[in-house]
Amino acid sequence: LPTRPVDREKAERELNDNIKKATNADETAPKQKHVRKCMVYTWDYHSSQSVWTGLRVLPILNDEVQTFKALILVHKVLQEGHPIVLREAQAQMGWFETCARTVGGDSMKGYAPLIRAYVQFILAKLRFHRHHKEFNGLFEYEEYISLKNIDNPDEGYETIMDLMNLQDGIEQFQKLVFAHFRGSGHNECRISALVPLVKESYGIYKFLTSMLRAMHRRTDAMDALEPLRGRYNAQHHSLRRFYYECANLKFLTSLINVPKLNHDAPNLFDSRDEPSLP
Amino acid sequence: MSFQNMGKSAMRVGKNYVKGYTDVQVKVREATSNDPWGPSGTQMNELAQLSYNQNDFIEMMEIMDKRLNDKGKNWRHVFKTLTVLDYLLHAGSENVVIYFRDNIYVVKTLREFQYVDEAGKDQGGNVRQKAKDITNLLMDEARLRDERRGRSNMRDRMQGSNM
């Protein structure tokens, strides 16, 4: 299947090792080199079954840090793995629910509420992708999708609402992560959960901007779009605050570039396709 | 050349022999080694020309794939292979473009590459930036076509002036 020079048997063996190392009990960020190997595996073989099997057979759920790291791993593979991961994850609801259920109410290191909220967010993301198969895991901008949706304004409206709901879900979860930072210690493990959230929220933001602009170009009923404009502006300001807080976390800015948004939300009546950003 | 580097390059010669690398593969390994200087223009140009031969192309991709998936400690392998790849996308055969469009995820997933060396210096930043640039180039078909055309026009002009 892959055009790369690969060896499937070796890949399967190494995959289990990579899952194990990415989800070990150290209270640190899951190592990106191990996460990357999982992503590359799903692209090479167009399958994520071995990833799910690997997660099930390892004793991850006995430990709150390991469970949290497993969720970060899964989130990243959903985002940047082969699109089939989003489809195959639909059959893993049971595993996600077990993650949320297994962790006790009074966990020692305080990850229990984060785990439950993370599971809730990932389930919401999976529901979105079940209804909107045209989006990839990072909502990377593709002009044709936004054009396709505005041909049918009702469908476009609904897609925008669903995207905005997901964006609100990110907002709630990131606030909870910040609220659980501990004065002592470096919070590296918690901060590393913000990395996929920054990427995903920015993908959604760019998409919403381009889609709303396209809708404004095509429609005569500007009033009908007023509620969307209001909500878009509110989300712009929340995101701007989120990115500002992220930009102050040195560990996070050493991993990714955090976008910087202008004070004012982009003008939706503008004809440019992307928000003007660095 | 420092003594340490001499030792390294002697090792490389030995490994080339033991592992049975072809002449072309040895050239790729030399251009993307752990030596602290970049691949030379001459080296990259030679590789670009070789990529037009189907057999040489396959042999090159085998080594480049290994190098791109190397571990953090060998970040120079990864970085220099991206440098060579950038050059090949501009001046190499169309096969390079096709191959890396198919396997874009190998480069794309390097955008979060991490390596902090023993001195605490972040050596991953170079790889992250280069991976980002090449990903953008691969995804922008029109720009890549333009840049490839510009490059071959320049080559034609330069060769013309030599005559």
Side-chain angles (χ1 to χ4, degrees), chain B residues 10-48:
Chain B
M11 272 275 284
R12 203 154 57 231
V13 171
K15 217 167 160 186
N16 286 338
Y17 181 75
V18 173
K19 296 229 174 174
Y21 291 123
T22 66
D23 289 350
V24 176
Q25 291 181 325
V26 170
K27 285 185 207 296
V28 180
R29 279 168 53 80
E30 292 292 335
T32 60
S33 72
N34 255 330
D35 299 329
W37 51 84
S40 73
T42 320
Q43 281 175 315
M44 293 200 285
N45 190 41
E46 191 184 2
L47 292 176

Coordinates of all heavy atoms in Angstrom, one line a residue, chain B residues 10-48:
Chain B
A10 N 35.2 8.4 8.8 CA 35.7 7.1 8.6 C 34.6 6.0 8.9 O 34.4 5.0 8.2 CB 36.9 6.8 9.5
M11 N 33.9 6.3 10.0 CA 32.8 5.4 10.4 C 31.7 5.2 9.2 O 31.2 4.2 8.9 CB 32.0 6.0 11.6 CG 32.6 5.6 12.9 SD 31.9 4.0 13.4 CE 30.2 4.5 13.9
R12 N 31.4 6.4 8.6 CA 30.4 6.5 7.6 C 30.9 5.6 6.4 O 30.1 4.9 5.8 CB 30.2 7.9 7.2 CG 28.8 8.1 6.5 CD 28.4 9.5 6.7 NE 29.3 10.5 6.2 CZ 29.7 11.6 6.9 NH1 29.3 11.8 8.1 NH2 30.5 12.4 6.3
V13 N 32.2 5.7 6.1 CA 32.7 4.9 5.0 C 32.6 3.4 5.3 O 32.1 2.7 4.4 CB 34.2 5.3 4.7 CG1 34.9 4.3 3.8 CG2 34.4 6.7 4.2
G14 N 32.9 3.1 6.5 CA 32.7 1.7 6.9 C 31.3 1.2 6.8 O 31.0 0.1 6.3
K15 N 30.3 2.0 7.3 CA 28.9 1.7 7.3 C 28.4 1.6 5.8 O 27.6 0.7 5.5 CB 28.1 2.8 8.0 CG 27.0 2.2 8.8 CD 26.5 3.2 9.8 CE 25.1 2.8 10.2 NZ 24.4 3.9 11.1
N16 N 28.9 2.5 5.0 CA 28.5 2.4 3.6 C 28.8 1.1 3.0 O 28.0 0.5 2.2 CB 29.1 3.5 2.8 CG 28.6 4.9 3.1 OD1 27.4 5.0 3.5 ND2 29.3 5.9 2.8
Y17 N 30.0 0.6 3.4 CA 30.5 -0.7 2.8 C 29.7 -1.9 3.4 O 29.2 -2.7 2.7 CB 32.0 -0.8 3.1 CG 32.6 -2.1 2.6 CD1 32.8 -2.2 1.2 CD2 32.8 -3.2 3.4 CE1 33.3 -3.4 0.7 CE2 33.3 -4.4 3.0 CZ 33.6 -4.5 1.6 OH 34.1 -5.6 1.1
V18 N 29.6 -1.9 4.7 CA 28.9 -3.0 5.4 C 27.4 -3.1 5.0 O 26.9 -4.2 4.8 CB 29.0 -2.8 7.0 CG1 28.2 -3.9 7.7 CG2 30.5 -2.9 7.4
K19 N 26.8 -2.0 4.9 CA 25.3 -2.1 4.6 C 25.0 -2.2 3.1 O 23.9 -2.3 2.7 CB 24.6 -0.8 5.2 CG 24.7 -0.7 6.7 CD 23.3 -0.4 7.2 CE 23.4 -0.5 8.8 NZ 22.1 -0.1 9.4
G20 N 26.1 -2.2 2.3 CA 25.9 -2.3 0.9 C 25.2 -1.2 0.2 O 24.3 -1.4 -0.7
Y21 N 25.4 0.0 0.6 CA 24.7 1.2 0.0 C 25.3 1.3 -1.4 O 26.5 1.1 -1.7 CB 24.9 2.4 0.8 CG 24.2 2.4 2.1 CD1 24.8 2.6 3.3 CD2 22.8 2.3 2.1 CE1 24.1 2.6 4.5 CE2 22.1 2.3 3.3 CZ 22.7 2.4 4.5 OH 22.0 2.4 5.6
T22 N 24.5 1.8 -2.3 CA 24.9 2.0 -3.7 C 25.7 3.4 -3.7 O 25.6 4.2 -2.8 CB 23.7 2.1 -4.7 OG1 23.0 3.2 -4.3 CG2 22.9 0.9 -4.6
D23 N 26.3 3.7 -4.8 CA 27.0 4.9 -5.0 C 26.1 6.1 -4.8 O 26.5 7.1 -4.1 CB 27.7 5.0 -6.4 CG 28.8 4.0 -6.5 OD1 29.2 3.5 -5.5 OD2 29.3 3.9 -7.7
V24 N 24.9 6.0 -5.4 CA 24.0 7.1 -5.2 C 23.6 7.3 -3.8 O 23.5 8.4 -3.3 CB 22.7 6.9 -6.1 CG1 21.7 8.0 -5.9 CG2 23.1 6.8 -7.6
Q25 N 23.3 6.2 -3.1 CA 22.9 6.3 -1.7 C 24.0 6.8 -0.8 O 23.8 7.6 0.1 CB 22.5 4.9 -1.2 CG 21.2 4.4 -1.9 CD 20.7 3.1 -1.4 OE1 21.5 2.2 -1.1 NE2 19.4 2.9 -1.3
V26 N 25.3 6.5 -1.2 CA 26.4 7.1 -0.4 C 26.4 8.6 -0.6 O 26.6 9.3 0.4 CB 27.7 6.4 -0.9 CG1 28.9 7.2 -0.3 CG2 27.8 5.0 -0.5
K27 N 26.1 9.0 -1.8 CA 26.1 10.5 -2.0 C 25.0 11.2 -1.2 O 25.2 12.3 -0.6 CB 25.8 10.8 -3.5 CG 27.0 10.5 -4.4 CD 26.6 11.0 -5.9 CE 27.4 10.2 -6.9 NZ 28.9 10.4 -6.9
V28 N 23.8 10.5 -1.1 CA 22.8 11.1 -0.3 C 23.2 11.1 1.2 O 23.0 12.1 1.9 CB 21.4 10.3 -0.4 CG1 20.3 11.0 0.5 CG2 21.0 10.3 -1.8
R29 N 23.8 10.0 1.6 CA 24.3 10.0 3.0 C 25.3 11.0 3.3 O 25.3 11.6 4.4 CB 24.8 8.6 3.3 CG 23.6 7.6 3.6 CD 24.1 6.1 3.7 NE 25.2 5.9 4.6 CZ 25.1 5.8 5.9 NH1 24.0 5.8 6.5 NH2 26.2 5.6 6.6
E30 N 26.2 11.3 2.4 CA 27.2 12.3 2.6 C 26.6 13.7 2.7 O 26.9 14.5 3.6 CB 28.2 12.3 1.4 CG 29.1 11.1 1.3 CD 30.1 11.0 2.4 OE1 30.5 12.0 3.0 OE2 30.6 9.8 2.7
A31 N 25.6 13.9 1.8 CA 25.0 15.3 1.8 C 24.2 15.5 3.0 O 24.0 16.7 3.4 CB 24.2 15.4 0.5
T32 N 23.7 14.5 3.7 CA 22.8 14.7 4.8 C 23.4 14.1 6.1 O 22.7 13.6 7.0 CB 21.4 14.0 4.6 OG1 21.7 12.5 4.4 CG2 20.7 14.5 3.3
S33 N 24.7 14.2 6.2 CA 25.4 13.6 7.4 C 25.3 14.4 8.6 O 24.7 15.5 8.6 CB 26.9 13.4 7.1 OG 27.4 14.7 7.1
N34 N 25.8 13.9 9.7 CA 25.8 14.7 11.0 C 26.9 15.7 11.1 O 27.0 16.4 12.1 CB 26.0 13.7 12.2 CG 24.6 13.5 12.9 OD1 23.8 14.4 12.9 ND2 24.4 12.3 13.4
D35 N 27.7 15.9 10.0 CA 28.7 16.9 10.1 C 28.1 18.3 10.2 O 27.0 18.5 9.7 CB 29.5 16.9 8.8 CG 30.3 15.6 8.6 OD1 30.6 15.0 9.6 OD2 30.4 15.2 7.4
P36 N 28.7 19.2 11.0 CA 28.0 20.4 11.3 C 28.0 21.5 10.2 O 27.8 22.6 10.4 CB 28.8 20.9 12.5 CG 30.1 20.3 12.4 CD 29.9 19.0 11.7
W37 N 28.2 21.1 8.9 CA 28.1 22.1 7.8 C 27.0 21.6 6.9 O 26.8 20.4 6.8 CB 29.4 22.3 7.1 CG 30.1 21.1 6.7 CD1 29.9 20.4 5.6 CD2 31.1 20.4 7.4 NE1 30.7 19.3 5.5 CE2 31.5 19.2 6.7 CE3 31.8 20.6 8.7 CZ2 32.4 18.3 7.1 CZ3 32.7 19.7 9.1 CH2 33.1 18.6 8.3
G38 N 26.4 22.5 6.1 CA 25.3 22.1 5.3 C 25.7 21.4 4.0 O 26.9 21.4 3.7
P39 N 24.7 20.8 3.3 CA 25.1 20.1 2.0 C 25.5 21.2 1.1 O 24.9 22.3 1.0 CB 23.8 19.5 1.6 CG 22.7 20.1 2.4 CD 23.3 20.7 3.7
S40 N 26.5 21.0 0.2 CA 27.0 22.0 -0.7 C 26.1 22.1 -1.9 O 25.4 21.1 -2.2 CB 28.4 21.7 -1.1 OG 28.4 20.6 -2.0
G41 N 26.2 23.2 -2.6 CA 25.4 23.4 -3.8 C 25.8 22.3 -4.8 O 24.9 21.8 -5.5
T42 N 27.1 22.0 -4.9 CA 27.5 21.0 -5.9 C 26.8 19.6 -5.6 O 26.3 19.0 -6.5 CB 29.0 20.8 -5.8 OG1 29.6 22.1 -5.6 CG2 29.6 20.1 -7.0
Q43 N 26.9 19.3 -4.3 CA 26.2 18.0 -3.9 C 24.8 18.0 -4.2 O 24.3 17.0 -4.8 CB 26.4 17.8 -2.4 CG 27.7 17.3 -1.9 CD 27.8 17.3 -0.4 OE1 27.4 18.2 0.3 NE2 28.3 16.2 0.1
M44 N 24.0 19.1 -3.9 CA 22.6 19.1 -4.1 C 22.3 19.1 -5.6 O 21.4 18.4 -6.1 CB 22.0 20.3 -3.5 CG 22.1 20.2 -1.9 SD 20.9 21.2 -1.1 CE 21.6 22.8 -1.3
N45 N 23.1 19.8 -6.4 CA 22.9 19.8 -7.8 C 23.1 18.4 -8.4 O 22.3 18.0 -9.3 CB 23.8 20.9 -8.5 CG 23.5 21.1 -9.9 OD1 22.3 21.2 -10.2 ND2 24.5 21.2 -10.8
E46 N 24.1 17.8 -8.0 CA 24.4 16.4 -8.5 C 23.2 15.5 -8.2 O 22.7 14.7 -9.0 CB 25.7 15.8 -7.9 CG 26.1 14.6 -8.6 CD 27.3 13.9 -8.0 OE1 27.8 14.5 -6.9 OE2 27.8 12.9 -8.5
L47 N 22.7 15.6 -6.9 CA 21.5 14.7 -6.6 C 20.3 15.1 -7.4 O 19.5 14.2 -7.8 CB 21.2 14.9 -5.1 CG 22.3 14.3 -4.1 CD1 21.9 14.7 -2.7 CD2 22.4 12.8 -4.3
A48 N 20.1 16.4 -7.7 CA 19.0 16.8 -8.5 C 19.1 16.2 -9.9 O 18.1 15.7 -10.4 CB 18.9 18.3 -8.6

